[in-house]
């Protein structure tokens, strides 16, 4: 009985910590001022890699937005994996269309294919998904951060569509992550998490990342690489490098619009969280014993359970505590209120659009779809689980130019 009681107390304490910790860090970020960049002169040469899979048409607005960059030093590499490229021609010499002879069905393989076909030596690699759109000063802002001494920079992904309640719920999660998991740790002297697109990494460093055992073994065994972004961020933080967050480097990203897309995308994300969990614990340990603020804070933030799992688990333990311990019942109730209030605080600080606030009522539906995704997440181990995007929106459509 003593063992069960200790386990109960441990679970409650951990839940309380992860409920309250984000609020504490958000308050800290409002007190600590973001340090101005100590920039040096120079223009980094960027390799902009776009990984298209089965649909290259959706990438054309992205190419157009990159060609409108107010920045001169870059080339665009489009890897058209299993795509019909008939009628797709680029007259601009800055655009290189690559058509692999064999189907790759892997984002990492597509990236490697692009790097193997570089036309010149590039200082940094920038990764894009086909549904992205880059604001006209995107590369300029990234260049500023690289010139300030950072070797890896994550841009700010912003929703380009808020047309359904699912898209609004997805955008809410992105706003929360941008602030709590990227801006907050960066301001506090730790690493921002990587979003999967819109990040720039020094080329030599990125080549080294592609040689890590997790990548090479998966490629040699033809296994699906579910979380290449987490492998990259772990690789960088393990080297005690700080991943910067460039809040002004705006990249527009298509949000999922249907319940089926929620299940498909979140299955992949949930699987990657649990697969990566041992690494997050390792960072906490390294940070504590090595007095490394970057690794400690990064580990604490990335070990936090997905929001809906944390919330549902806390509510379940609160209900159980009503019959076991009135003290923990009230602690958990307070923790849930602080956690929920912090989400609204982040939306307020981030100036969330009106569509987000109007769609708050849809969150239970979004949580339900994620719960189904949790059941199906093992599929991600063997399925590429590509999220299809079909909204061909231009930069002008979004910015109203």
């Amino acid at each position: 009985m003593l063992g069960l009681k200790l386990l109960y107390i441990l679970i409650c304490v951990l839940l309380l910590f992860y409920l309250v910790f984000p609020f504490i860090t958000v308050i800290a970020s409002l007190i600590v001022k973001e340090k101005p960049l100590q920039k040096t002169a120079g223009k980094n040469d960027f390799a902009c890699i776009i990984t298209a899979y089965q649909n290259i048409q959706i990438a054309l607005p992205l190419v157009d937005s990159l060609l409108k960059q107010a920045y001169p030093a870059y080339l665009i590499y489009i890897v058209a994996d299993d795509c019909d490229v008939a009628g797709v021609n680029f007259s601009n010499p800055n655009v290189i269309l690559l058509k692999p002879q064999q189907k790759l069905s892997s984002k990492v393989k597509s990236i490697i294919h692009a790097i193997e076909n570089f036309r010149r030596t590039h200082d940094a690699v920038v990764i894009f998904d086909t549904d992205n759109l880059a604001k006209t000063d995107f590369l300029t802002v990234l260049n500023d951060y690289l010139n300030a001494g950072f070797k890896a920079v994550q841009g700010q992904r912003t929703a380009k569509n808020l047309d359904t309640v699912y898209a609004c719920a997805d955008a809410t999660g992105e706003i929360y992550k941008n602030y709590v998991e990227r801006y907050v740790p960066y301001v506090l002297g730790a690493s921002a998490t990587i979003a999967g697109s819109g990040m720039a990494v020094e080329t030599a460093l990125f080549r080294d990342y592609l040689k890590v055992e997790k990548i090479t073994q998966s490629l040699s065994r033809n296994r699906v690489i579910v979380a290449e972004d987490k492998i990259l961020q772990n690789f960088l933080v393990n080297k005690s490098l700080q991943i910067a967050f460039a809040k002004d480097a705006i990249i527009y990203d298509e949000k999922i619009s249907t319940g089926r897309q929620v299940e498909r995308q979140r299955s992949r994300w949930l699987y990657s969280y649990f697969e990566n969990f041992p690494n997050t614990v390792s960072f906490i340990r390294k940070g504590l014993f090595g007095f490394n603020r970057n690794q400690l804070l990064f580990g604490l933030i990335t070990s936090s359970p997905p929001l809906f799992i944390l919330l549902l688990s806390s509510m379940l333990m609160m209900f159980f505590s009503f019959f076991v311990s009135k003290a923990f019942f009230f602690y958990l109730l307070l923790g849930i209120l602080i956690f929920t209030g912090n989400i609204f605080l982040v939306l307020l600080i981030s100036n969330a659009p009106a569509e987000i606030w109007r769609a708050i009522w849809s969150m239970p539906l979004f949580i339900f779809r994620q719960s189904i995704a949790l059941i199906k997440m093992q599929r991600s181990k063997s399925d590429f689980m590509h999220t299809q995007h079909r909204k061909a929106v231009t930069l002008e459509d979004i910015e109203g130019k």
Side-chain angles (χ1 to χ4, degrees):
M1 289 296 292
L2 179 61
L4 289 175
K5 185 176 181 180
L6 290 175
L7 179 61
Y8 162 76
I9 294 173
L10 177 62
I11 292 173
C12 286
V13 169
L14 284 174
L15 288 173
L16 283 168
F17 173 80
Y18 283 116
L19 286 170
V20 177
F21 180 66
F23 174 71
I24 295 173
T25 61
V26 168
I27 296 301
S29 74
L30 297 175
I31 299 172
V32 177
K33 298 295 183 182
E34 182 179 351
K35 294 179 180 178
L37 291 178
Q38 301 297 320
K39 297 178 288 186
T40 59
K43 285 183 169 54
N44 291 277
D45 192 306
F46 290 105
C48 300
I49 300 177
I50 303 171
T51 56
Y53 180 68
Q54 294 185 337
N55 181 8
I56 194 172
Q57 296 296 326
I58 200 69
L60 301 185
L62 169 59
V63 174
D64 182 62
S65 72
L66 289 173
L67 290 175
K68 292 176 180 176
Q69 290 293 298
Y71 188 86
Y74 68 96
L75 290 180
I76 304 168
Y77 298 88
I78 308 176
V79 182
D81 180 24
D82 195 28
C83 294
D84 180 6
V85 296
V88 178
N89 296 297
F90 299 101
S91 58
N92 194 304
N94 277 13
V95 185
I96 295 96
L97 178 62
L98 302 171
K99 182 73 170 70
Q101 293 183 349
Q102 295 182 335
K103 184 178 178 179
L104 301 177
S105 297
S106 166
K107 184 175 181 177
V108 173
K109 288 181 180 179
S110 291
I111 292 171
I112 292 173
H113 185 78
I115 292 175
E116 290 175 344
N117 287 275
F118 275 178
R119 297 296 173 84
R120 66 184 187 224
T121 301
H122 295 282
D123 299 306
V125 173
V126 191
I127 305 299
F128 296 93
D129 289 334
T130 51
D131 61 295
N132 295 153
L133 292 171
K135 202 171 180 180
T136 51
D137 63 348
F138 179 75
L139 293 179
T140 302
V141 177
L142 292 183
N143 183 65
D144 289 341
Y145 279 80
L146 292 175
N147 284 343
F150 294 103
K151 297 181 180 296
V153 188
Q154 173 64 55
Q156 179 165 203
R157 297 209 308 185
T158 303
K160 74 177 185 182
N161 65 299
L162 297 171
D163 51 343
T164 70
V165 292
Y166 290 112
C168 288
D170 190 15
T172 300
E174 190 78 79
I175 292 171
Y176 182 86
K177 285 178 175 292
N178 276 334
Y179 197 89
V180 175
E181 298 184 8
R182 295 177 188 127
Y183 179 74
V184 165
Y186 169 62
V187 168
L188 299 181
S191 286
T193 59
I194 286 176
S197 66
M199 70 285 197
V201 182
E202 284 192 353
T203 304
L205 202 57
F206 198 87
R207 288 180 184 273
D208 289 340
Y209 144 71
L210 292 172
K211 296 175 185 176
V212 301
E213 186 177 356
K214 181 76 173 177
I215 295 288
T216 56
Q217 281 192 357
S218 296
L219 292 175
S220 64
R221 297 171 183 174
N222 203 30
R223 291 174 52 190
V224 174
I225 302 174
V226 180
E228 72 284 340
D229 53 343
K230 286 185 171 54
I231 299 172
L232 175 58
Q233 66 187 24
N234 292 344
F235 168 77
L236 295 169
V237 177
N238 258 323
K239 288 182 169 292
S240 295
L241 296 173
Q242 183 186 10
I243 304 169
F245 178 60
K247 66 179 185 298
D248 295 324
I250 304 297
I251 180 169
Y252 296 102
D253 178 66
E254 183 179 327
K255 298 296 128 187
I256 48 184
S257 299
T258 68
R260 186 174 294 276
Q261 283 181 317
V262 173
E263 294 174 22
R264 193 169 179 82
Q265 184 190 77
R266 287 324 197 251
S267 291
R268 186 173 69 248
W269 288 11
L270 289 166
Y271 180 83
S272 68
Y273 166 78
F274 288 108
E275 185 184 46
N276 187 57
F277 186 75
N279 295 315
T280 67
V281 175
S282 177
F283 280 126
I284 295 173
R285 177 180 55 80
K286 289 178 182 177
L288 279 173
F289 293 103
F291 300 100
N292 188 307
R293 175 176 50 178
N294 182 13
Q295 293 180 339
L296 175 60
L297 190 52
F298 181 80
L300 289 173
I301 288 173
T302 54
S303 66
S304 180
L307 300 186
F308 84 99
I309 292 180
L310 177 59
L311 186 58
L312 292 180
S313 299
S314 299
M315 292 175 68
L316 180 63
M317 286 304 294
M318 184 184 72
F319 175 77
F320 181 70
S321 296
F322 182 80
F323 303 99
V324 177
S325 169
K326 290 296 192 293
F328 271 119
F329 170 81
F330 286 110
Y331 291 153
L332 286 167
L333 175 60
L334 180 60
I336 291 171
L337 292 174
I338 291 173
F339 173 77
T340 307
N342 189 54
I343 294 176
F344 287 100
L345 175 61
V346 169
L347 292 177
L348 188 64
I349 294 171
S350 304
N351 295 315
E355 293 92 337
I356 297 290
W357 293 103
R358 287 197 294 265
I360 290 293
W361 64 269
S362 67
M363 282 302 172
L365 182 61
F366 194 70
I367 290 173
F368 171 72
R369 287 290 188 172
Q370 290 185 95
S371 301
I372 297 176
L374 182 63
I375 299 171
K376 297 180 177 180
M377 71 176 184
Q378 280 297 326
R379 289 175 52 195
S380 302
K381 192 174 183 179
S382 56
D383 188 346
F384 184 31
M385 299 287 280
H386 172 68
T387 302
Q388 293 185 343
H389 299 283
R390 304 186 184 279
K391 292 178 172 56
V393 179
T394 67
L395 194 63
E396 288 74 14
D397 292 331
I398 294 174
E399 298 185 342
K401 294 180 180 179

